[in-house]
Amino acid sequence: MAHLIRRGSPMTRHQKHGYTNLVQRGRIHRSAYTDPDVFAVEMIRVFGGTWTYLGHESELPEPYDFKLTNLGLRPVILTRDGDGTIHGLFNRCSHRGVTVCPETSGNARRFVCSYHGWTYLSDGRLAAVPFASSCGPEFDQTELGLGRVSRIDTHRGFIFGVLAPEAPSLHDYLGPVAERIDEWVDRSPAGELVVRHRVRKIAADANWKLYVDGAADGIHPLFVHRSYLTMGAERDGEGLFLSEFASGLEESGMYSQTLPHGHQFLDQRPSLLPSKWAATRAMPGTEAAVEQLTARHGERVDEILEQTTVAGMNIFVFPNLSLVDNSIGVVQPRAVDRTEVHWHITSLADLDPVAVSLRMRIGEDFPNFGDTDDVEQWERAQRGLRDVPEVQWLRTTRGLGLDPEADDRGVSTVPITSEAPMRSYHTEWQRLMGLEPNWLGQD
């Protein structure tokens, strides 16, 4: 559908001002969600200008393991070479642009282009070119390896990549959110996560930022997930997971935080008392699993059960990493109005296999109901934004002028009814959209 553009509106001004005028105090322009030109720019400047999650080290346990991932729309082969070094290689032959790796994951020492047979090593170097003598005297094989994500770094097993040479270190980029990631990982007895289960994908005809808008939104569960809350109360009684959103929201003790660089945090743990396990709904096999774990571990069973159930933390690392309960969610934009979210239920290293199985079952509970609720709302929002050009702005004013200032680390703790986390990430998006992508055209 063609956009209706009014003279002098932000739709006509944003190209001149580098798109940064799309975010203003307490509001964001609809074109940030609906304009294909804005989408094309953010795929370069946001997913390229800042550290983006690519995968987890446990997905590449052995030398020469690989998996396919994305940096925005760029197809990337995430590899571990023979020395154990991790690389992010663009899945694009340096000769004619054909993708060189069709498999989603596996183990391979070489990647061979199906078009003309150019062969690349797991670190991206060009190893062989058929009929190389016909390429002429100016041909330099050493300069024609696969393009690569120029900077790769990790934190607690999470692999990130960035293209912008001026981007801060990963340590500085994460800042205080790293402590929240640490809390999430340290539920493991060994302090390590394992991500080796099949991915669960959801897809929505909606812009990727509609997911991010809800990452720390504490009001929407009461309305969007009402059927899940009602069903749970009728089947299992009151006081279980998410029921805290149905009553006494402002007295629950839950809170949100805005963090530097657009990161967000919502803490449900104050409402999950006396324990997270006590707030967990029974899943098929729960009773038998608890009996086995009690027989094996005796008094330690309560500690182990706490490790199987929900974390009670929603952590969002801008622009694409979501840590919710026991799962890693990866936001994958596909088009201005098409988004996938890839969910990986995690295991904990050194956790009893019975507890791991129970953790998997618990991890399937809410998504089977809540994901469809969320997708419906994202798609309704996308249709409204697309089809009503006369209303130009979305409001983000809850808490504006009421929330406390950030502390000296850039952290502001706010009620979960506030839209401060949304405004915070919009400001980071605005900053990145003003970047000049000086990493382009570097052959």
Side-chain angles (χ1 to χ4, degrees), residues 59 104-105 195-201 327-328 342-346 360 364:
E59 296 178 275
T104 57
S105 63
V195 186
R196 293 180 193 161
H197 305 283
R198 291 190 179 275
V199 64
R200 174 175 57 84
K201 297 181 181 180
S327 295
I328 295 173
H342 299 177
W343 288 104
H344 307 258
I345 301 178
T346 63
M360 296 297 105
E364 294 169 345

Side-chain angles (χ1 to χ4, degrees), residues 101-120:
C101 180
E103 302 295 331
T104 57
S105 63
N107 185 281
R109 292 172 180 262
R110 293 175 173 82
F111 301 102
V112 181
C113 179
S114 59
Y115 198 7
H116 297 99
W118 286 33
T119 302
Y120 302 89

Side-chain angles (χ1 to χ4, degrees), residues 153-307:
D153 204 350
T154 65
H155 178 78
R156 298 301 296 270
F158 294 88
I159 305 169
F160 297 84
V162 67
L163 299 177
E166 71 277 11
S169 68
L170 178 62
H171 176 272
D172 290 343
Y173 178 70
L174 293 177
V177 81
E179 299 169 14
R180 298 304 189 181
I181 296 172
D182 294 346
E183 287 184 79
W184 202 73
V185 173
D186 285 337
R187 299 178 68 217
S188 167
E192 296 179 12
L193 293 178
V194 180
V195 186
R196 293 180 193 161
H197 305 283
R198 291 190 179 275
V199 64
R200 174 175 57 84
K201 297 181 181 180
I202 62 173
D205 292 328
N207 186 267
W208 66 279
K209 294 186 291 299
L210 288 168
Y211 174 90
V212 188
D213 286 347
D217 179 353
I219 290 182
H220 88 273
L222 174 60
F223 301 97
V224 176
H225 304 307
R226 185 181 295 276
S227 61
Y228 176 81
L229 299 176
T230 301
M231 178 198 68
E234 292 176 350
R235 189 189 74 174
D236 300 311
E238 301 289 346
L240 298 182
F241 176 60
L242 284 189
S243 63
E244 64 273 21
F245 289 95
S247 61
L249 187 63
E250 294 179 316
E251 294 78 35
S252 67
M254 296 185 290
Y255 62 91
S256 295
Q257 288 183 328
T258 69
L259 302 153
H261 300 294
H263 310 318
Q264 307 176 44
F265 176 62
L266 189 153
D267 198 347
Q268 297 170 245
R269 293 172 296 179
S271 68
L272 299 176
L273 300 174
S275 68
K276 293 187 289 292
W277 175 254
T280 301
R281 304 180 196 281
M283 294 292 106
T286 294
E287 186 175 343
V290 172
E291 288 179 359
Q292 292 181 62
L293 292 171
T294 301
R296 292 181 184 182
H297 301 285
E299 295 181 355
R300 288 194 59 238
V301 70
D302 289 341
E303 173 189 343
I304 292 170
L305 291 175
E306 283 292 283
Q307 295 164 347

